[in-house]
Amino acid sequence: MSYAQIALPLPLEDFYDYWIPPELASRISVGMRVRVPFGRRMITGFCVGMAEQSHVPADKIKEISDLIDNKPVVDDRMIAFARWWAAYYQCSLGEALDASVPSETKESHTSGNYMISLASPETVEESIAQLQEKYPLQARVLRFLKECQMPVEREEMRRKLKISLSPIKTLMQKNSILCSFQENSPDPFYNCPTLPPRAVMLTAMQKQSLEGITKAMEEEKFQTFLLLGVTGSGKTEVYLQAMERAIAKGKESIVLVPEIALTPQTVTRFKQRFPKVAVLHSALTPAQRAYQWKQIDSGQIQVVIGPRSAIFAPVHKLGLIVVDEEHEPSFKQQNTPRYHARDIAVKRAQMENAIVILGSATPSLESYYNGLQKKYHIFYLPQRIGTAKLPKIFAIDMREECREQKKFVYFSRPLIRSLEKVLQAQEQAILFLNRRGFATTVNCPACGYELKCQHCEISLTYHKKKKQALCHYCGYEAQAPDDCPVCHFQGIRFLGAGTERIESILKATFPNARIRRMDSDTMISRHHYEEALQDFSDGKIDILLGTQMIAKGLDFPKVTLVGILSADSGLQLPDFRAAERTFQLSVQVAGRAGRGEKPGVVILQSWNPAHYAIQASLSQDYEKFAKIEMEFRKQTQYPPFGKIIRFIIEGQDEKAVKEKAQEIAKKAKESSTCVIGPAPAPISKIKDKYRWHFILKASKSSEILQSAKALKNFITTTKSIKVQMDIDPISLL
Ligand code: ADP
Ligand code: ZN
């Protein structure tokens, strides 16, 4: 063959023809990565086909410069899979393949982490003060290291601070920080022992589900099951046994879990059952990831566990895909290519004749609807295992509490009393608030001035310990003013509460309690997180307070109280899924209580307790909620009854962004489908880019995809304006 078809990770054509130079001809094959010239640069692409002929004129065709791999990194099945989802999500084949294969799978010589620490902790305050004005990013790095009080992994710090490598490099050159290389084992969960199999007698309902799943597996017939089971009903046990069946048939399984649920506790549960488990999570170093990938590719792994990108794991004999907490928004990738791992999991299983189990106590309405339509088969697990009962949930009307206490309060009296009881009985409590920081707004009551990010249309959150106001979108930091910068009024207010404020109130109220705050400010690295969970498990913590980090998957039998501080804080969001999210979160958090022998109690504080999402979560009645919510969705033709695509137009020039949005929306309106907008996005500016959006809605999938395709050809992304298409968006912010 003389020509290769190369898929490039660019939002352009699916592939381009390149000439194969003779020296590469015997080595190249489909599925390998290559280096090719494109325009004036060199880029890495995937060889997806070969041909004798090319329609590109001989004097125009360029040649492949180099091969990256010695053997293919993707096989025909993975290419076919990528082709399918690229077409669905309107990205190019190259973009899809690029998202499927970790870039570091090529031989990597680093097998460890770069650990960063302060060179002279004694003088760090001075250095920060010196750098603050002119080099705020460098100051930010130093402050971060000061807070950590231990060496931090470089990439983790970069992710947290949303910064590039350059301020770190500069600080290294100035000898302000030290960098060391820490070797690590290729498998971070290396030391986990495998236990001898424990005979678990399944409950009747578990048995029924497993039998249905096994039957489909025996027939090697693709099918999707929705396991709708309350928290603690034994869903995971069903997954584990289904995997055992798959292994017995010589098949491999993929388990997708939300990243934050990928705790040592979860992983241990799988590792104890199966000797050959690969865990893919975002804190892996490139070398570790490459190692795991190779293990999977070589067929030595029975079970792969990971967050959304694990759906691309190169297993060759796929038998089963489990998507745990299938309703979780984190399964959707939030930048291009914006795939939904749960949805493409179903497609991958179909292409490879495998079985899918979607599990949740609060499924997405999309999956539930597919169940009702008999596209998926639903199994119900309505009760907790053994004598454990679902916790009792009590709603507290915070408006009434404030009236009766004659002041604004964050803690209701019933919550305080319940905490007292838990402490007395030496049990444990979990408190949930979905916001970090101390105060959510900093404003001036005299003139209405509000402290905002300089780069985003977002109020800054005041962090008391840091003595800084931070933007939670871009990481921008500002000094909180003592008096108003506009009218000089000396009474700036710090309003609203995040976990930091709640922690300080809690400490003042219960001075003897052992309290731990768990949010991304205190859990600086994975290590802190794992340590905190271990301490909680060992009974060294009485009250665990946290953000959504504590909402998922934690299974601690001594927890008898869960407090939800503000259950309806998400209800105001301008998103048609606001009620669904509120319900899901309340039920998930509540589910952390009463998992052991002692029954659990949940105190749910709300400013709007009559809302149906709150009411339904009190009885933890999924079907009741779904019934009401479905009615709204049906009337408005939102998913699952209609399909939507969101267009996001971004750029630095506000006027140009607006005009572009209007132009594309006008074009969209020509093809008759329902168009909502254009309008400024609810977050109208992020990182100095103005954002407009509009939504395309249709009743049929085929109809809307056709319009999307037509529009795609019309849209041209330029350097100054970026247009993104989000098929089946899960966020409208
Ligand atoms: P879920 O995934 O629905 O939250 P789990 O599978 O974690 O539920 O089960 C909750 C607890 O009950 C776990 O500690 C699990 O080991 C235990 N368990 C599950 N099924 C059984 C069973 N059939 N018999 C005894 N214990 C079980
Ligand atoms: Zn910002």
Side-chain angles (χ1 to χ4, degrees), residues 469-505:
L470 305 184
C471 172
H472 287 179
Y473 278 80
C474 74
Y476 170 78
E477 299 175 341
Q479 216 68 43
D482 291 326
D483 35 64
C484 177
V486 179
C487 75
H488 307 291
F489 178 74
Q490 293 186 337
I492 286 277
R493 293 186 303 183
F494 298 82
L495 297 179
T499 42
E500 196 184 358
R501 187 194 294 260
I502 296 298
E503 182 190 28
S504 71
I505 299 175

Side-chain angles (χ1 to χ4, degrees), residues 198 200-203 206 229-239 269 324 381 385 555 595:
R198 189 169 58 104
V200 178
M201 279 285 291
L202 292 184
T203 63
Q206 282 176 317
V230 298
T231 52
S233 61
K235 296 185 291 293
T236 310
E237 190 58 43
V238 174
Y239 309 153
R269 228 171 137 186
D324 191 27
L381 301 176
I385 293 290
D555 188 2
R595 297 176 75 96

Side-chain angles (χ1 to χ4, degrees), residues 205-206 228-231 233 379-384 390 620:
M205 298 300 260
Q206 282 176 317
L228 206 174
V230 298
T231 52
S233 61
F379 283 119
Y380 295 89
L381 301 176
Q383 273 152 15
R384 282 194 162 173
L390 280 177
Q620 298 168 77

Side-chain angles (χ1 to χ4, degrees), residues 421-479:
K421 264 198 224 151
V422 163
L423 293 171
Q424 251 161 27
Q426 299 189 336
E427 292 162 1
Q428 290 177 308
I430 287 182
L431 292 185
F432 173 78
L433 177 66
N434 208 5
R435 266 206 204 127
R436 63 193 175 93
F438 189 83
T440 49
T441 47
V442 180
N443 75 5
C444 169
C447 74
Y449 162 83
E450 185 165 330
L451 192 59
K452 288 199 166 161
C453 178
Q454 288 199 347
H455 311 283
C456 310
E457 193 47 45
I458 290 287
S459 298
L460 296 183
T461 302
Y462 180 60
H463 290 246
K464 197 171 184 182
K465 185 159 168 262
K466 288 194 176 97
K467 298 196 191 73
Q468 295 271 326
L470 305 184
C471 172
H472 287 179
Y473 278 80
C474 74
Y476 170 78
E477 299 175 341
Q479 216 68 43

